[in-house]
């Protein structure tokens, strides 16, 4: 069925996508939106009542112990609405769908479509088939049918964009189920990636984030160990591309040529998110993480030597099975030494289907909670101290959309510094649009944000701001948000929930 035929079939049916998990899921949801809109659906207005949406799609995450409870709770709430609204459809995709397959329809028989991580391009066809045949469609592909970037996309931001360099992961971390659900790593050709970046820049995007489950292992299936550093340098030659970021790298694959490319490529931002997970060599071995504390701190030292103002963030798991008090103190030691600008800290919870879920030495909840609180207190103290070093600095901010929840009340706007720190600044007299760049002086530091309370020193209107203005001038339904479990980079960034995601590199 062609897209025009599908459009006639569905008319102007509305859709809503609810996204859980990591950056990969967020990016997949952009693809799902693009597919549905190409097929004739329209995004439901923000604030639309649940029972008024024609198609509700859950893009799920499977890495949390209660992920299925959350899904089935939401599905249960929609069941009576679906009964009262003939023609309403519910689809479940993502990692939990890939893992649980037929059991979703057995537990929630009112679900119309179940699809996996490898065949998101089939969603419109499956919805139409379910409508015509009046029975649930379950289709889970065992391997990738088409690289997601070949699918249509509805980008969530006019000025910043994700660009996938690879899908899947070749690591075997004992706490992570991602390789089983997303498969082995598959790399895109560099020319395809750069062509997508150039097309985005032509549309007005000025910041891109290179995205991979293990982004700096890029090139592994092409036999080129320096492919990622070459890709960073190539991004530096694209006219109009102002900011380049990437997430998430793995310490095992973090090589000196990548550090050099970061330092020597002006539009690669002085910011690095590199998961630690634990500072204990014993725990890292049990996690099957192929680096140790000395190696990790050595990378931090090299990055700081090459990029003195780099802001380094991380992920840490507290309470992994078998973690002793001494093991935990080793994590605290690394945090003191590394001086992360921010750490996303998670209490270990069993990921069904992972080796760690069946390990001996599961830590009592109360012990994990105490350790977690100590770690958070230490990191908050360090974050505040590091942020205070920013006071008095003059920074160029890319104005962001939706990042300052108190902006209207305080007459401020918000933006991201080159190192990705969040800065709230006084609203200037002249118009400023998301995607524009302002120059401000930092006057105050809090643990998780900075303030520029004085006058804006400069405003630079950009093509990215023009793109944002053009998008918002066009009559279109308001966007709905996504529920994120890990830090995002570049795109409008709600405060992350205290939950793990798939980006467990």
């Amino acid at each position: 069925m062609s897209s025009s035929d599908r459009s006639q079939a569905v008319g102007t049916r509305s859709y809503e996508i609810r996204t859980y998990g990591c950056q990969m899921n967020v990016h997949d949801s952009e693809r799902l939106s693009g597919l549905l809109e190409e097929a004739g659906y329209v995004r439901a207005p923000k604030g639309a009542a649940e029972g008024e949406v024609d198609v509700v799609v859950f893009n799920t995450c499977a890495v949390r112990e209660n992920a299925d409870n959350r899904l089935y709770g939401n599905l249960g709430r929609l069941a009576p609405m679906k009964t009262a609204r003939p023609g309403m459809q519910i689809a479940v995709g993502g990692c939990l769908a890939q893992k649980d397959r037929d059991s979703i329809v057995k537990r929630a028989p009112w679900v119309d479509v179940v699809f996996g991580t490898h065949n998101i391009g089939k969603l419109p066809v499956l919805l139409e088939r379910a409508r015509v045949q009046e029975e649930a469609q379950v289709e889970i592909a065992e391997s990738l049918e088409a690289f997601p970037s070949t699918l249509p996309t509805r980008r969530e931001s006019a000025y910043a964009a994700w660009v996938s360099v690879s899908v899947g992961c070749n690591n075997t971390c004992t706490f992570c189920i991602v390789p089983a659900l997303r498969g082995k790593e598959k790399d895109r050709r560099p020319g395809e990636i750069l062509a997508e970046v150039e097309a985005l820049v032509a549309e007005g995007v000025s910041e891109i984030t290179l995205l991979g489950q293990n982004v700096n292992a890029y090139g592994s299936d092409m036999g080129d160990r320096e492919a990622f550093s070459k890709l960073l340098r190539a991004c530096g030659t694209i006219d109009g591309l102002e900011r380049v970021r990437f997430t998430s790298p793995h310490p095992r694959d973090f090589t000196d040529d990548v550090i050099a490319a970061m330092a020597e490529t002006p539009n690669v931002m002085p910011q690095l998110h590199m998961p630690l997970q634990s500072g204990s060599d014993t725990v890292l071995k049990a996690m099957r993480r192929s680096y140790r504390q000395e190696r990790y701190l050595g990378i931090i030292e090299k990055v700081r030597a090459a990029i003195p103002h780099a802001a380094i963030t991380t992920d840490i798991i507290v309470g992994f099975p078998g973690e002793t008090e001494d093991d935990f103190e080793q994590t605290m030691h690394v945090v003191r030494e590394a001086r992360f600008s921010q750490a996303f800290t998670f209490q270990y919870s069993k990921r069904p289907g992972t080796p760690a879920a069946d390990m001996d030495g599961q830590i009592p909840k109360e012990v994990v909670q105490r350790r977690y609180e100590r770690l958070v207190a230490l990191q908050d103290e360090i974050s505040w101290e590091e942020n205070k070093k920013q006071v008095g600095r003059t920074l160029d901010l890319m104005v962001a959309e939706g990042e300052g929840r108190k902006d209207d009340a305080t007459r401020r706007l918000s933006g991201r510094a080159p190192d990705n720190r969040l800065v709230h600044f006084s609203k200037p007299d002249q118009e400023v649009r998301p995607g524009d760049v302002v120059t401000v002086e930092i006057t105050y530091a809090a643990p998780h944000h900075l303030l520029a309370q004085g006058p804006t020193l400069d405003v630079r209107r950009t093509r990215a701001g023009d793109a944002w203005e053009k998008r918002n001038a066009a009559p279109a339904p308001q966007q709905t948000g996504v529920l994120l479990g890990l830090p995002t980079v570049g795109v409008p960034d709600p405060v992350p929930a205290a939950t793990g995601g798939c980006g467990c590199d």
Side-chain angles (χ1 to χ4, degrees), residues 357-416:
D358 299 320
M359 284 183 176
D360 294 333
Q362 301 287 329
I363 311 298
K365 171 66 176 175
E366 60 272 16
V367 175
V368 178
Q369 182 66 33
R370 287 197 298 269
R371 291 176 184 172
Y372 175 80
E373 290 172 358
R374 288 166 55 196
L375 176 61
V376 169
L378 174 62
Q379 182 56 53
D380 281 351
E381 178 184 336
I382 292 171
S383 295
W384 199 358
E385 290 172 356
E386 291 301 307
N387 275 358
K388 287 176 182 176
K389 296 177 182 178
Q390 305 298 310
V391 174
R393 290 189 67 194
T394 299
L395 300 175
D396 290 334
L397 311 179
M398 182 175 290
V399 181
E401 182 176 28
E403 298 223 38
R405 289 184 288 181
K406 298 181 180 178
D407 282 352
D408 290 340
T410 58
R411 287 192 53 78
R412 291 176 182 147
L413 298 175
S414 299
R416 291 281 175 176

Side-chain angles (χ1 to χ4, degrees), residues 449-466:
H449 68 268
L450 302 170
L451 290 181
Q453 298 160 304
T456 301
L457 304 179
D458 185 56
V459 175
R460 177 165 63 86
R461 292 173 68 86
T462 65
R463 290 173 60 253
D466 294 343

Side-chain angles (χ1 to χ4, degrees), residues 272-285:
L272 172 65
H273 181 77
M274 188 167 65
L276 168 66
Q277 306 304 6
S278 174
S280 163
D281 288 354
T282 301
V283 174
L284 289 170
K285 183 178 180 180

Side-chain angles (χ1 to χ4, degrees), residues 59-139:
N59 190 5
T60 63
C61 172
V63 303
R64 296 295 287 181
E65 188 174 17
N66 64 350
D68 56 345
N69 292 335
R70 178 188 298 182
L71 172 65
Y72 291 114
N74 287 323
L75 292 177
R77 193 173 65 252
L78 288 179
M81 301 177 193
K82 190 172 188 294
T83 300
R85 185 182 176 89
M88 180 182 180
Q89 290 183 297
I90 300 171
V92 179
C95 290
L96 192 65
Q98 187 78 23
K99 183 172 77 74
D100 287 354
R101 306 179 181 227
D102 294 335
S103 65
I104 293 176
V105 174
K106 290 178 182 177
R107 293 182 61 178
W110 55 93
V111 169
D112 298 276
V113 171
V114 179
F115 62 102
T117 58
H118 298 310
N119 63 331
I120 63 176
K122 290 289 187 66
L123 177 59
V125 171
L126 293 172
L127 286 169
E128 180 63 11
R129 191 185 300 164
R131 186 185 69 83
V132 172
Q133 298 181 4
E134 297 184 344
E135 65 179 11
Q137 302 295 309
V138 179
E139 189 168 309

Side-chain angles (χ1 to χ4, degrees), residues 312-328:
I312 301 174
T313 59
T314 195
D315 298 333
I316 300 173
I317 296 172
V318 178
F320 187 81
E323 180 188 74
T324 65
E325 186 64 25
D326 182 63
D327 292 327
F328 175 69

Side-chain angles (χ1 to χ4, degrees), residues 158-160 204 206-207 242-243 396-401 413-416 425 428 430-439 458-469:
Y159 56 90
S206 61
E207 176 177 310
E242 298 192 16
R243 296 186 173 191
D396 290 334
L397 311 179
M398 182 175 290
V399 181
E401 182 176 28
L413 298 175
S414 299
R416 291 281 175 176
F425 62 96
Q430 64 195 101
E431 179 190 25
V432 179
R433 308 160 301 176
D436 287 340
V437 175
V438 300
T439 305
D458 185 56
V459 175
R460 177 165 63 86
R461 292 173 68 86
T462 65
R463 290 173 60 253
D466 294 343
W468 179 90
E469 188 171 26

Side-chain angles (χ1 to χ4, degrees), residues 213-495:
Q213 215 73 55
N214 180 7
V215 69
N216 59 324
Y218 174 73
S220 62
D221 69 354
M222 296 186 294
D224 186 354
R225 289 181 56 83
E226 296 189 353
F228 188 62
S229 62
K230 293 174 183 175
L231 184 63
L232 290 177
R233 292 183 186 277
C235 286
T237 67
I238 298 176
D239 187 41
L241 180 57
E242 298 192 16
R243 296 186 173 191
V244 177
R245 306 186 191 275
F246 58 89
T247 195
S248 288
H250 193 294
R252 181 196 66 186
D253 301 302
F254 209 92
T255 49
D256 290 348
D257 60 294
V258 171
I259 297 173
M262 293 174 64
E264 296 165 10
T265 309
N267 63 356
V268 176
M269 293 294 96
Q271 174 250 330
L272 172 65
H273 181 77
M274 188 167 65
L276 168 66
Q277 306 304 6
S278 174
S280 163
D281 288 354
T282 301
V283 174
L284 289 170
K285 183 178 180 180
M287 289 179 168
R288 213 177 289 158
R289 303 284 286 179
S290 49
Y291 57 89
R292 299 297 178 258
Q293 179 188 120
E294 183 178 4
R295 159 77 171 155
Y296 188 94
L297 289 175
I299 295 171
I300 299 293
E301 184 178 358
K302 288 180 179 179
V303 171
R304 290 246 161 83
I307 315 168
H309 288 301
I312 301 174
T313 59
T314 195
D315 298 333
I316 300 173
I317 296 172
V318 178
F320 187 81
E323 180 188 74
T324 65
E325 186 64 25
D326 182 63
D327 292 327
F328 175 69
E329 286 297 338
Q330 289 299 309
T331 296
M332 298 283 275
H333 169 71
V334 174
V335 170
R336 293 187 187 98
E337 291 293 312
R339 300 195 66 80
F340 301 113
S341 61
Q342 190 174 10
F344 297 86
T345 52
F346 310 112
Q347 297 186 34
Y348 173 77
S349 65
K350 292 182 179 181
R351 274 78 164 172
T354 64
D358 299 320
M359 284 183 176
D360 294 333
Q362 301 287 329
I363 311 298
K365 171 66 176 175
E366 60 272 16
V367 175
V368 178
Q369 182 66 33
R370 287 197 298 269
R371 291 176 184 172
Y372 175 80
E373 290 172 358
R374 288 166 55 196
L375 176 61
V376 169
L378 174 62
Q379 182 56 53
D380 281 351
E381 178 184 336
I382 292 171
S383 295
W384 199 358
E385 290 172 356
E386 291 301 307
N387 275 358
K388 287 176 182 176
K389 296 177 182 178
Q390 305 298 310
V391 174
R393 290 189 67 194
T394 299
L395 300 175
D396 290 334
L397 311 179
M398 182 175 290
V399 181
E401 182 176 28
E403 298 223 38
R405 289 184 288 181
K406 298 181 180 178
D407 282 352
D408 290 340
T410 58
R411 287 192 53 78
R412 291 176 182 147
L413 298 175
S414 299
R416 291 281 175 176
D419 65 8
N420 207 41
R421 282 183 166 93
L422 178 63
V423 182
H424 306 301
F425 62 96
S426 301
K427 186 178 293 187
D429 293 334
Q430 64 195 101
E431 179 190 25
V432 179
R433 308 160 301 176
D436 287 340
V437 175
V438 300
T439 305
V440 300
E441 181 180 336
I442 304 303
T443 58
Y444 176 80
H448 303 295
H449 68 268
L450 302 170
L451 290 181
Q453 298 160 304
T456 301
L457 304 179
D458 185 56
V459 175
R460 177 165 63 86
R461 292 173 68 86
T462 65
R463 290 173 60 253
D466 294 343
W468 179 90
E469 188 171 26
K470 180 179 179 181
R471 172 185 282 197
N472 285 271
Q478 297 239 358
Q479 299 175 10
T480 55
V482 295
L483 305 177
L484 303 184
L486 275 182
T488 60
V489 182
V491 297
D493 186 9
V495 176

